[in-house]
Amino acid sequence: MTKSPFRISSALSRISRPDNSQDDAGTALDLTPETALVPKRVRNPDETRQKLLDAAFGEIRRAGFGGASINNILDHSGVTKGALYHHFSGKAKLVNAVIDECLPGYVDTVWLNELENAEDILPILMEQVDRLSCDNAPELLEGGCPLARLASGAGELDESLRKRIDGVYRYWRRGLASHIGKAQFNKTVRTDVEPSSVAEFLIATLHGFLTRPPALRNLETQDAFAREFARYLNNLRPAG
């Protein structure tokens, strides 16, 4: 069975649904003589699974792993408990799927996709930081970076979850390092720096800033962070 691709916008837009939403089914018409014009439910397991992932992603972002409520996930997705346990044997399996399938999509959408095919990535990296304090900040960063927020509580998680979260960071680091290496080839980044080390530093810097709740990021702290981030990026420019 082929899973539907993760749609990052639906991770937020689907956490509330009308009361009359259907679970695991659409509506088709069975026009046989015996049942003409009688609605017939058509199951769509891929769609149901995606609804559960979207709702769980929103719930985990709001409440963390430990505080995530199965009942809230069911309410937001419009899915029955039986359908949930058909797709996931328990909360732990659902959480694992969110980490493995939703968080890499978040990294791509918010941080990596914009760097694709760019000869000069440094202005784009700076724009990503500048927009954190603007009205056009990515919707997924409302409440802070979901990956940073979840990782901040990693000490309370079991080893399996910690490894999964670390795997998402490694995915981000490899992707960013690849773009830095391409920028070196294009001569827009110094060739005497190690791409993976630069990527690690940039991600760690962003992580530290984004773990601070938005309410505590006033204009002064945002300006200071953006200024020093710009200084570091400027130092990556080749001499001359």
Side-chain angles (χ1 to χ4, degrees):
M1 178 177 68
T2 302
K3 295 182 296 186
S4 300
F6 173 66
R7 299 184 297 278
I8 202 74
S9 60
S10 62
L12 295 179
S13 63
R14 289 187 179 177
I15 62 175
S16 62
R17 291 174 53 83
D19 292 337
N20 63 350
S21 59
Q22 293 184 346
D23 153 38
D24 206 15
T27 299
L29 293 181
D30 182 353
L31 297 179
T32 59
E34 296 79 10
T35 58
L37 300 181
V38 175
K40 179 181 179 181
R41 292 167 65 85
V42 179
R43 297 188 180 280
N44 189 335
D46 290 347
E47 182 180 354
T48 295
R49 188 179 188 278
Q50 191 62 56
K51 290 176 183 177
L52 288 166
L53 285 174
D54 293 344
F57 183 48
E59 174 68 5
I60 291 170
R61 287 187 64 219
R62 184 190 67 79
F65 291 119
S69 164
I70 289 293
N71 287 335
N72 286 344
I73 292 170
L74 295 176
D75 288 344
H76 294 322
S77 65
V79 171
T80 64
K81 185 174 289 188
L84 184 151
Y85 287 111
H86 171 76
H87 290 278
F88 304 99
S89 60
K91 180 179 175 181
K93 293 291 186 181
L94 178 57
V95 168
N96 288 347
V98 168
I99 297 173
D100 294 342
E101 300 178 39
C102 297
L103 288 178
Y106 151 77
V107 170
D108 285 338
T109 298
V110 176
W111 303 111
L112 294 181
N113 287 349
E114 293 175 322
L115 304 178
E116 288 288 342
N117 303 317
E119 290 192 8
D120 190 354
I121 64 172
L122 298 184
I124 299 174
L125 291 170
M126 193 63 237
E127 288 172 5
Q128 290 177 340
V129 170
D130 285 339
R131 72 186 181 188
L132 296 179
S133 60
C134 300
D135 293 336
N136 65 339
E139 188 179 10
L140 275 168
L141 290 179
E142 290 183 4
C145 169
L147 180 56
R149 185 173 187 273
L150 298 177
S152 65
E156 303 173 4
L157 305 177
D158 62 37
E159 186 65 18
S160 174
L161 287 175
R162 285 197 295 270
K163 286 182 177 179
R164 278 184 155 84
I165 292 175
D166 183 61
V168 179
Y169 273 107
R170 284 188 280 111
Y171 173 79
W172 188 359
R173 185 166 60 248
R174 286 195 303 268
L176 182 54
S178 175
H179 289 301
I180 293 169
K182 292 175 184 176
Q184 289 178 317
F185 181 80
N186 293 330
K187 296 182 171 46
T188 55
V189 167
R190 289 163 38 196
T191 57
D192 62 335
V193 297
E194 172 57 42
S196 61
S197 297
V198 173
E200 181 66 43
F201 179 80
L202 292 175
I203 292 171
T205 303
L206 284 167
H207 178 277
F209 181 70
L210 291 169
T211 51
R212 179 178 292 186
L216 299 180
R217 289 190 230 140
N218 57 40
L219 185 60
E220 181 180 357
T221 60
Q222 290 172 342
D223 285 348
F225 174 74
R227 184 168 56 250
E228 294 308 313
F229 198 87
R231 193 192 309 276
Y232 179 79
L233 292 180
N234 190 55
N235 286 335
L236 295 177
R237 286 288 187 201

